[in-house]
Amino acid sequence: MLDVALIPGLPLAGFVILALVGSRLPRRAVAIIGVGSVGLSAAWALLFGAALIASHDVHQSQTLWTWMALPHFEAAIGLSLDRLSLVMVWVVTGVGFLTHLYSIAFMADDEDYARFFAYMNLFVGSMLVLVLADDLLLLYLGWEGVGLCSYLLIAFWYRDPKNVRAAVKAFLVTRIGDAAMAVGLFLLAAYTGTLRIDDLMLRLPHTFPAGAPVVVAAAALLLAGAVGKSAQLPLQVWLPDAMAGPTPVSALIHAATMVTAGVYLIARMQLVFNMAPAVMAVVAWIGLATLLLAGLSALAQRDLKRILAYSTISQLGYMFLALGVGAWTAAIFHLVTHAFFKALLFLCAGVVIKSLHDEHDIAAMGGLRRHMPLVFGAFTVGAASLAGLPLVTAGFYSKDAILQAAWASGPHAAWLWAVALVGALVTSVYAFRALFVVFLGETRREPARVSSLAMSVPLVVLAALALLAGFVQTPSQLGGISVFGGFVGPAVGGQVGQGGGGPGWLLLVASGASLLGLLIAWVLYVRRPATFARLADAPAWVALRQFALEGFGFDRLYDTMIVQPFVYLTRANVGDFVDWLYVCLAEVARLLHGLMSRAQTGRVRWYAAGIALGALLMLGLVVLR
Amino acid sequence: MTLVLLFILPLAAGAFAWALARRDETLCRWVLALALALGLLQTAWIWVTATPSSSSWLAEAQWPWIPSLGISFHLAVDGLSLLMVGLSYLLGLAAVLASWSSIRERVGLFHFLLGAVLTGILGVFMAIDLFLLYFAWELMLIPMVFLIALWGHENRRYAALKFALFTQAGGLLLLLSILGLHFAHGHATGVYTFAYSELLGARLGPTAALWLALGFFVAFAIKLPAVPLHTWLPDAHTEAPTAGSMILAGLLLKTGGYGLIRFMLPLFPEAAERLAPAAMVLGVVGILYGALLAFAQTDLKRLVAYTSVSHLGFVLLGVFARNDEGLRGAVVQMLCHGLSTGALFMLVGALQDRLGTRDMRRMGGLWAKAPALSIAVLLFALASLGLPGMGNFVGEFLVLLGTYRVSAALAAVGSVGLILAAAYALRMMQVAFFGRAPEGLELPDLGLRERAVIAAMVLVLLWIGLFAQPVLMAATPAVGMAHSEQGTVLHPIPLARDGMGTVPAPSERGNAP
Amino acid sequence: MQQVPLEHALLVAAILFGIGLTGLLARRNLLFTLMSIEILLSAAGLAFVAAASRWGQADGQVMFIFILVMAGAEVSVGLALVLQIHHALKTLDSDAIRQLRG
């Protein structure tokens, strides 16, 4: 009955082999093991999942062994496959396999080839454990595991201290969320004696009324964990710096999978969140604020990967918005499409950066469409999907589903929808800005030839998915297809906005925003009117752009308020002030010693006097008593 | 009988090794190593062949010693003590292996002192006569002082003296409390005895109990160590030779935790209840303060030493939560901390031997030079920061869960320790192992012997991390005597189970509200 | 014959003791220290004899002989020591012998 266990088991086995003997194997073997384990897992997940769907019995649960069984608390290592986790598994293994394939060529010159694939396999294995866990404690194991792999992979090129600093930042910021999440786990375990998700879903509604403080606290703490992992406000500062890792890492971990773990967690625990409407509102508002701020930051960036990083934060904000308004299926739908087009964009960016000898600044790029037409085509598809170009891209359908859900969400719906729409416009602008600046115009630097089959195939596949994956879920005005909603819905519950309950003009406005963004980007970055150039140099504008570039000051805020004082205080106390107490004690002893030894003069007369005095005192005592 | 042999084995082997060392130093090392391996096997044998019997002890050995004073030579093991004994033999063996090539002068004496310390530690873990406990407690101290003073590093005299003074002060309090208990019990019942099982039932007035309990508490708290009694630890750990640090951190500190669970809590339950809030706060303070101190250190060994303060804060916290999860978590944490910190000291000691320095500012980029060493340090650093999958996580999780049942606020503050632990562990990796190596730095990688020891420890940690159940269950009798449900605020709702012990499978969750 | 009153004898003994003690504490020369010790001893002896006379028992006079013998032994050892000290330190100043100080 180990069918489900094979899915994470294969990549984990790959990790073990590569970790132990990888450095002694030839490159080919490493590639076969590294990519093959994920590929096999993907194939198996596809087949197994399809078989389950065909037999209409998608819910599978396997308890592998008991982890802890105490009188008041139990935890088991168990895997559970249902529709939601099946979708996640497909995304993780699918995009994972393509990224691994791409890495064969991308990392081919790197001397730590085996180490890279070992870490990547460990990551895929941990992510699958996270997604398949049927117990929150096991999920937490996977959660921390992916955090570890993220750290190891960001710091993969460890010789550069900058990379290591970025890795530490990523780990610590997400750890803050993780610690809060752990407290949430304690809370749930203390009240129910279990962290098994099925048990919790059964017992919590029976034990607590909706809105009970316990449930609200649990939801809020779980949200904190999700906010950390998914780089939402206020814990979003780690993701842009995480771009220091190799591009496949950015594509897989920091776009398609690990950062979506927060979204998955909230979707999985939706019962808890449903019982805490206040927290749901917070989710939505966090998502909203994040999507706008990150989008604006993306607009100001010059580093290609940082544009994509902020874009990821922004798109995750959309997912959080969807979750917050109860559109669970829409959130997962966007998660899936985003995984495709964002991974695609990152992989294209990888080719570009590598071919320009590690150049990240888009201002130094240009005219690359002539030199790498395939990449250009792929990037165009990706950018279009990101911008949500109407009708033909997957991004359009998923983003529209979210906008529809925001419109229908109840109080403040207008605000949510309006800001999300503005965000869509901004998204379109920066997406096409990147496309136009990098690929159009004149060639500033000659790129080297880097592309190979291993890199091209994933690009093509992802491009196809970025275009076609949207057609599983369309609004009612455009065909009302509801394959995705119908599939995932029962596992996740809640409305889907399926077919979009909203009026038709919402579609038009959304399309309009996306096209308007395209137009603006065309005008600003291809036509380049002189007025824009003059405006761009105005000091107020420059300052604003700098502020947006730095992520609206969050980094600086945290640095001044938390990091610097912390480092200063701990450094000042290196010698441990508590030790002073004991040093003082020792000094007092030394002092007393000094005093006492004054009595030891070594002189006979002194001692004689002492004897006489003592005798006198004692006689006096005896006589006067 | 086996227990007595188990107890005396390290000392006897050490003495034999000392005698042999004149002739052949390598033979001396082999003798002690083999003896310790034998002891480990013997412990495993007892574990495996343990049959539940009417008494909670798995094995017992009692010989009259000074009957007129009520003192008997009484050893006994249950699950908890057996775990600790096993840890002692394992770490002792690792310590011998770690000093194989680094100790060159007075080899015989070194191994004898190692054996003596181990016997003392085993005595503490196995004694259930209070006089014997005190005897073993003192026996632990003197050989360790010599180990630090003779084979230690630059500041060894100061460190050895500080260690001796702190521990002796605690020992004095312990003696006074033991005597006080002896006499109080004697006055009340006319029976003057030092036997644990008899004294468990001692009836004491609340004030007397509190003072005696405090004596025990302070003695164990110094050993644990609890802030603010911890300042002996960094100096002792840093200046001790590698084997000394491993045994200090891995075992000596555990005697404090063990003493609290085995002796203080069962002997003085009401006093423990009164002391619990303060003790738990001290535990949390220890967690946070230890981590803050560890973060700022530039001396690699001192950093690891302060992490011990932080980790044992968890133990103190869990013990005084006095509930099931807290106590079991404390036991697991003791076990796993012994392994992970013992291994870290071994690795840091290996690094110091090869580089000649402990200063992290003079290191950097070591990963490229010695990958095996670096990966090993990374693994144990991850264990230190409580990565799930390793045993330390199980311990910390259960401790915090148990704490939550008593005080949610303390659990939340304690969880901040998880963040701080990540800070110091990653800083260690960042400064010493990542980045670029300084010019001309030579660093041979780990040898086969060292790799074997590290691999063994990693495997045990992973095993406990993923299959924690046997270890958790082993602690049951001891936990049962120590725990109390009073003060536990949150009682969980009873699990509703069908006859098979599983919750009935839910229908498609779309039906959930 | 009229008995000397005990109080008078004891008073004389006390005065002698005081003189001896003062001399012991005040004089630095070792020889004078020894002499003062002699005076102390005779004071004690006088007290013993006076008490013996009062109570009419011979024990006190036996004690006095005891003291005489002891004084003799003590003086011989003391003078030997004084000789050694003078040989080593070239002085008889008791304040000069300070090697055993703390």
Side-chain angles (χ1 to χ4, degrees), chain B residues 99-267:
Chain B
S99 23
W100 203 268
S101 40
S102 51
I103 300 290
R104 299 212 175 278
E105 306 106 34
R106 293 187 269 203
V107 174
L109 180 60
F110 180 82
H111 285 82
F112 171 69
L113 290 172
L114 263 185
V117 166
L118 282 172
T119 291
I121 294 171
L122 289 171
V124 171
F125 287 140
M126 295 202 282
I128 53 169
D129 178 287
L130 288 185
F131 187 82
L132 181 60
L133 168 74
Y134 181 71
F135 180 82
W137 189 267
E138 293 297 310
L139 184 57
M140 281 195 306
L141 168 64
I142 305 297
M144 182 52 79
V145 171
F146 280 108
L147 279 172
I148 299 176
L150 292 178
W151 289 273
H153 306 299
E154 330 75 55
N155 216 7
R156 57 187 179 273
R157 297 283 151 76
Y158 172 78
L161 189 61
K162 202 169 179 182
F163 167 68
L165 285 173
F166 270 82
T167 318
Q168 272 295 55
L172 178 63
L173 284 169
L174 183 64
L175 178 64
L176 289 174
S177 297
I178 289 177
L179 288 175
L181 185 59
H182 172 79
F183 285 117
H185 181 75
H187 279 314
T189 61
V191 177
Y192 285 87
T193 174
F194 283 94
Y196 177 64
S197 39
E198 313 248 334
L199 291 171
L200 275 179
R203 248 166 271 277
L204 303 161
T207 337
L210 185 63
W211 282 106
L212 292 175
L214 218 66
F216 271 80
F217 176 71
V218 173
F220 296 131
I222 292 179
K223 229 15 190 218
L224 195 62
V227 175
L229 301 164
H230 66 281
T231 57
W232 62 272
L233 184 141
D235 293 307
H237 279 65
T238 314
E239 305 298 333
T242 306
S245 299
M246 288 170 73
I247 293 187
L248 254 178
L251 297 173
L252 251 63
L253 303 185
K254 311 303 174 293
T255 58
Y258 175 84
L260 286 172
I261 299 179
R262 170 77 74 213
F263 294 104
M264 200 215 144
L265 287 192
L267 286 172

Side-chain angles (χ1 to χ4, degrees), chain A residues 67 69 175 191 199 203 576 582, chain B residues 228 230 289 418 465 469 493-494:
Chain A
W67 198 358
R175 246 274 147 142
Y191 278 97
D199 288 354
R203 295 150 114 243
D576 191 359
Y582 301 104
Chain B
H230 66 281
Y289 192 59
L418 294 174
Q469 190 58 10
I493 306 129

Side-chain angles (χ1 to χ4, degrees), chain C residues 3-14:
Chain C
Q3 285 258 357
V4 177
L6 182 62
E7 298 75 30
H8 293 176
L10 287 180
L11 190 62
V12 171

Side-chain angles (χ1 to χ4, degrees), chain A residues 61-98:
Chain A
S61 233
Q62 273 172 6
T63 305
L64 296 171
W65 68 83
T66 305
W67 198 358
M68 310 176 217
L70 300 179
H72 296 306
F73 175 71
E74 284 194 20
I77 307 274
L79 300 175
S80 161
L81 188 64
D82 73 342
R83 290 152 185 255
L84 174 61
S85 49
L86 189 60
V87 168
M88 296 294 296
V89 164
W90 280 343
V91 168
V92 172
T93 52
V95 178
F97 171 66
L98 293 170

